[in-house]
Amino acid sequence: MSEEPPKEQSKSALKKAEKAAKMAADKAAKAAKQAALPVVGGKKAEEIMGITVSKAENFPAWYQEVVLKSEMVEYYQEISGFFVLRPLSMHIWSTIRKWFQQHIEEMGVEESSFPIFLSAKSLEKEKDHVEGFAPELAWVTKAGDKDLEVPVAIRPTSEAVMYPYYSKWIRSHRDLPLRLNQWNSVVRWEAKQTTPFLRTREFLWQEGHTAHLTEELAGEEALQILELYAGVYEQLLAVPVVRGRKTENEKFAGGYYTTTVEGYIPSNGRGIQGATSHCLGQNFSKMFDITVEDPANKGSHLHVWQNSWGLSTRVIGVMVMVHGDDKGLVLPPRIAKIQAIFIPIGINKNTTPEAKKKHEDTIEDIRATLKKAGVRTDADWREGYTIGWKFNDWELKGVPLRIEFGFKDAEKEVISFARRDTGEKGTIPISEVGTKVPELLETIQNDMYTKAEAAFREHRIQITKWEEVLPALDNKNVVLIPFCLDGKCEDRIKALTTREDNQPDVPENQKAPAMGMKSLCIPFEQPEGVVAGETECLNPECERKAQKWVMFGRSY
Amino acid sequence: MSEEPPKEQSKSALKKAEKAAKMAADKAAKAAKQAALPVVGGKKAEEIMGITVSKAENFPAWYQEVVLKSEMVEYYQEISGFFVLRPLSMHIWSTIRKWFQQHIEEMGVEESSFPIFLSAKSLEKEKDHVEGFAPELAWVTKAGDKDLEVPVAIRPTSEAVMYPYYSKWIRSHRDLPLRLNQWNSVVRWEAKQTTPFLRTREFLWQEGHTAHLTEELAGEEALQILELYAGVYEQLLAVPVVRGRKTENEKFAGGYYTTTVEGYIPSNGRGIQGATSHCLGQNFSKMFDITVEDPANKGSHLHVWQNSWGLSTRVIGVMVMVHGDDKGLVLPPRIAKIQAIFIPIGINKNTTPEAKKKHEDTIEDIRATLKKAGVRTDADWREGYTIGWKFNDWELKGVPLRIEFGFKDAEKEVISFARRDTGEKGTIPISEVGTKVPELLETIQNDMYTKAEAAFREHRIQITKWEEVLPALDNKNVVLIPFCLDGKCEDRIKALTTREDNQPDVPENQKAPAMGMKSLCIPFEQPEGVVAGETECLNPECERKAQKWVMFGRSY
């Protein structure tokens, strides 16, 4: 399966941003280590620890800072292009894994684990497939101090690992459907600049591989899975996606057709592939000899219809890009490890031990009530930090709800809250936290989705005049255009929308991106206005008729 | 962490067994494929599909056949030493994963994911550690068609991957304990003969890595984890284990001390390491510079105390070896994917469609009741198979409970059952299945444990006379002996118990194993009878005094 990574981006800008983020983090770490304590309160520490780049001004640098400083990831210094996923991000991935696993189990998909290595022989069975992956394969050539007789590659995806066994195991139509999934990591040695979550040389994912008797059955499943992928984005990550089909140019190497969910990053107006569910057709079954006797025509054999589908940790990066702000991460409650953080207020040197103890007990009682209601909380009892520092720290980490609790709150028998997404503040009677806090978290989840959905909708615009395309892209839109679906025409559209001059008269930070647009998907939901075979293809050089509205954009 | 694999075994016997198992399976597959249907009923097919080797007569061959024919694993033909884990075994691993994950989450252990690769530089920081793993490292030297500037190794375990970050992240005692776990696969390119689950070049495991302020805190955690490992064996897999500590000779390379749970395989009387929880002491924290300010002595720094602990898919192999019989797998109900299999009886050509439909509906109703009661069931509606073939097939796959349901059962409003573990048969009124079947499954689980526990207890014998050692081993026992704990003495005991002559006068299949015994663990539960510094060490050549009862045995 292919994870489509960003094909073009300003490399020098990214490298600079990455370097700046690393330097800032190292500086902070050094300062902290020198202080022997983990950064004491005060302005200077706040400056060092907070996000130093504005999302609007330098989006790539902002992203690098957020994922690093929020403690989602750590750069792997030893080998470039690899990242450590820390508990904050692994909680998100585990939540997604549980949700998705439960749904595919209900569909009858079974869990399996195939070896990490691939022989060159298996890989070479499908020509387009091997061509797609060969440049990124990591080859093991030695074990201990001995050279291997035959080098083996680490899987970039497992079609060629698994399908020889599908050929062995599938003996009759009664063995169909065969549906296996595995959760693992794959290695693709990208030559391009890597970015945490979005493009990394190793990533976690699930890969499902299924075999069916007919094209129709395979097609149904491909869409069921696509709907689950949409669910991961929309229901868990509060990120809207457009469901559709890839054009021939953008489909999976060796597959029949690819369905996809496509996201949108408002900050730079780029599209981003969310996850793909491929119908492989009979291409692989022919290469790997996966056949059954045709139940409708005894004696003759048919090749099975196959699907493969994958969702990777890329989803976390998309979520960060869509929701984050200048204070750091903003996490949707459903995937946040800590949904509500308690900040005790007003405890100082003059507080009596009894008063302190009582305050602590009250907070722990409220937390126990919330735990029963299914709310994940923590309380920040750290000493030596200002309240302001704590606020910043939890905002940086994206915790959806901050609950402040001081002696005045205790007197009034309320908690004071602040929403991470909107900053909105309010109070809730302690007697009602068990119902009101879960409700509030659901409200936050829904509001985050609604906001992101509106942004995507407003920036997904139908265009029927070629000259409006480039201005629309520059205004951070993706576009829906009447398109003939021809591959060469698509290449030409990309070339026509690529800026070739260096915009010499425009200041560096105001230059429009040079990147041309490519097709993101053929949305399943087609607006009116394109009559197949009648409407013109939007490419002014193209003489073919349009077949569909197709979503194009600058993209990752 | 080390997974102690079998150090010695009859290679030629194993190779023969493996070959025989493969040939039998291939023959069956070929026959099935030729028949175009998945093996129709009848004697011949039963012969091909069943287990052809007796557990008592040729244990290694029996094991290979069982794991292959029950569809737990598939040999990876492309690269030797690797195996495919199929749904039957992955269900067991997932069950263990959920159980263990829940328990460590409650302890505050967090999930993380570190890169798969290791730089030579990090690895070399701890001398004993690198020496222990170097011969088995798989080296990536090429990406695409380009040589890497610096080759990278695939992790055999992640101490050297993770600890540079522990050094970065742990800044103060307030960052302690730091407890991270990851579920992944590791690669150890074994030169020795591999065996499914027990010794494979890649295996799935969890590896926990934690840092603590004091030796005491680290020690407490190491034992908490060990108790969870014992729980995996005893509560889920119905396999008894002995908890103890490894001798210096057998501890983890580079660690301080190793705690372990040790199992026992009745068929050959060998001990087998179950899982290990290591206290690494301060060795790694010194090498990787992981320090905090001493909270009791401001200004001075101390190195943190570390643990690492791992449990691998090896557990599945131990379970198979302990419980399986000549009909195939015997699965404990708690880890069985299907706990009860329904075999409809009496439906034939003369059955009217109405009668058949009614029978089906009744079975589905009972299954629905059982599902509500938390019982995992399936029904075997396959046509073209004899009842006998179906019985054999589900026995081979180890399903704990077979439920036969014919028209006579329907009339009497009962189900007829047969236990996989004992063969015991009986009936249960349909009205009571929701309570009686779960009870019966729990009974099976407990009976399986009790039986295995008795076998281990009977074959773990205290010995105080050297001349009784070898006969005890030959009678398939492990032994508890008074031992001085000296490493050289341990080496000598192994040598003294190794048969050097080829037993020329004994027929091949009656020869006693040549393998010497090694120490399995120093059990935490010490019987009376050894007075440290007074009792003699059992090795007749040793002049030291015994310190402990130590469990020795031939082992994997």
Side-chain angles (χ1 to χ4, degrees), chain B residues 193-213:
Chain B
Q193 177 72 35
T194 54
T195 306
F197 300 116
L198 296 200
R199 189 198 305 197
T200 58
R201 285 179 168 170
E202 181 192 14
F203 56 84
L204 301 179
W205 76 344
Q206 60 66 221
E207 49 175 334
H209 295 265
T210 63
H212 304 263
L213 187 64

Side-chain angles (χ1 to χ4, degrees), chain A residues 74 76 110 141 169 337, chain B residues 74 76 110 117 141 169 337:
Chain A
E74 183 76 72
Y76 194 50
E110 297 186 296
T141 62
W169 297 334
K337 189 163 190 282
Chain B
E74 183 75 72
Y76 194 50
E110 297 187 297
F117 294 123
T141 62
W169 297 334
K337 188 162 191 285

Side-chain angles (χ1 to χ4, degrees), chain A residues 187-206:
Chain A
V187 172
R188 298 178 187 175
W189 207 279
E190 300 272 358
K192 293 173 195 141
Q193 177 72 34
T194 53
T195 306
F197 301 116
L198 295 199
R199 189 197 304 197
T200 57
R201 285 178 168 170
E202 181 193 12
F203 55 84
L204 301 179
W205 74 346
Q206 60 65 221

Side-chain angles (χ1 to χ4, degrees), chain B residues 240-278:
Chain B
V241 288
V242 167
R243 299 146 175 81
R245 185 165 159 157
K246 287 286 186 186
T247 60
E248 287 299 300
N249 276 21
E250 296 292 332
K251 76 176 187 185
F252 179 59
Y256 179 41
Y257 63 84
T258 289
T259 67
T260 181
V261 290
E262 297 284 325
Y264 166 76
I265 308 299
S267 299
N268 55 17
R270 287 204 213 170
I272 186 163
Q273 179 177 298
T276 46
S277 176
H278 313 291

Side-chain angles (χ1 to χ4, degrees), chain B residues 443-463:
Chain B
T443 302
I444 293 172
Q445 180 85 30
N446 295 333
D447 288 355
M448 287 178 72
Y449 178 76
T450 304
K451 185 183 164 195
E453 202 279 326
F456 195 178
R457 197 163 12 85
E458 281 162 24
H459 290 276
R460 190 166 71 232
I461 55 179
Q462 275 174 264
I463 285 192

